[in-house]
Amino acid sequence: MEAHAGGRDLIFLDESGFAPTMPTGYTWSRVGQRAVVPKEDTQDRRVNVLGAQVVGTGPDLLWQRTSGKIDAGMLLEFVLVRLAGLGGGAAVLDLAADGVGVDAIPVCERRRPCTIVLDNASAHVARAFKGRRRQLAKIGVDLFYLPPRSPELNDIELIWRQAKYQDYPQRAQTSIDAIGEAVDRAMTRQRDRIRQSATNFTRAA
């Protein structure tokens, strides 16, 4: 309720992986002909994506991709810079949380506090991230952990499903760069739908 009233942003956060060959839900072929689906080698060619779906007065979708592992350090920087608007990231978190030099530090570009909903993945509960929980709260970022084994409670799961099966039509990619470009196209389509739906809702109201 507070999110929709504009008093707080609600943000669903999660990670997902995109492989050189994505699962094929269905396909078609001519009668009597066997469908052949290309398959690429997956060795060291996976792209991992950290995403955040913003719910409330300004619905949006933000993401960051990497060919490496998403660890607690990367997660913390994403939350601080992309979601909280803390330009200096973890390097100035201590100062911002203590109220030191706040005039020179962009503590929160949104001007509203936010609650981040996330599961209990290893990066989410690592000390390097969860150990900063009190400092995050001081700059307006609260963490809300979902119960174990409850992915259905995280709204961004639908974004991953649609991005992979609706907006990722070419199922096999031949390079890391090609996977990254396909991911960006799929996520951009998802983001545009979210923004457009919000615009249409505002006009209808």
Side-chain angles (χ1 to χ4, degrees):
M1 292 296 293
E2 189 178 357
H4 290 288
R8 173 176 292 269
D9 285 333
L10 182 62
I11 302 175
F12 293 92
L13 183 146
D14 195 19
E15 304 88 30
S16 190
F18 291 75
T21 300
M22 299 293 288
T24 301
Y26 64 90
T27 188
W28 63 272
S29 64
R30 295 182 182 277
V31 176
Q33 294 185 5
R34 186 175 183 179
V36 177
V37 179
K39 180 175 176 58
E40 291 287 328
D41 180 20
T42 61
Q43 185 67 31
D44 298 323
R45 296 170 67 195
R46 178 184 176 95
V47 169
N48 294 313
V49 183
L50 178 57
Q53 180 184 1
V54 183
V55 178
T57 57
D60 206 351
L61 179 66
L62 302 119
W63 68 92
Q64 179 177 331
R65 57 180 171 86
T66 178
S67 57
K69 181 181 178 181
I70 296 175
D71 59 16
M74 179 179 175
L75 175 63
L76 181 62
E77 289 295 325
F78 180 80
V79 167
L80 291 174
V81 177
R82 300 293 303 280
L83 304 184
L86 189 64
V92 297
L93 178 59
D94 296 339
L95 296 176
D98 291 339
V100 178
V102 292
D103 292 336
I105 299 173
V107 176
C108 186
E109 290 180 351
R110 297 179 181 276
R111 303 301 178 191
R112 289 193 302 276
C114 65
T115 296
I116 298 177
V117 179
L118 65 171
D119 60 24
N120 294 272
S122 58
H124 301 174
V125 298
R127 178 175 295 181
F129 179 73
K130 193 173 182 179
R132 299 277 201 154
R133 193 171 188 175
R134 290 185 178 179
Q135 289 179 314
L136 289 170
K138 287 184 178 180
I139 64 168
V141 179
D142 291 319
L143 304 180
F144 180 84
Y145 285 89
L146 294 170
R149 297 179 294 279
S150 56
E152 73 281 358
L153 299 179
N154 195 332
D155 283 6
I156 201 173
E157 291 291 348
L158 180 60
I159 297 294
W160 297 134
R161 191 176 307 118
Q162 292 176 338
K164 290 182 177 182
Y165 289 96
Q166 296 180 21
D167 295 318
Y168 201 93
Q170 184 175 327
R171 308 311 292 168
Q173 308 292 338
T174 58
S175 69
I176 282 285
D177 289 342
I179 300 171
E181 291 171 3
V183 167
D184 284 340
R185 286 195 299 270
M187 296 297 284
T188 297
R189 292 189 185 109
Q190 289 294 313
R191 182 197 63 196
D192 291 346
R193 289 194 190 102
I194 289 172
R195 291 178 175 178
Q196 187 60 46
S197 295
T199 300
N200 291 341
F201 179 81
T202 301
R203 288 174 179 172

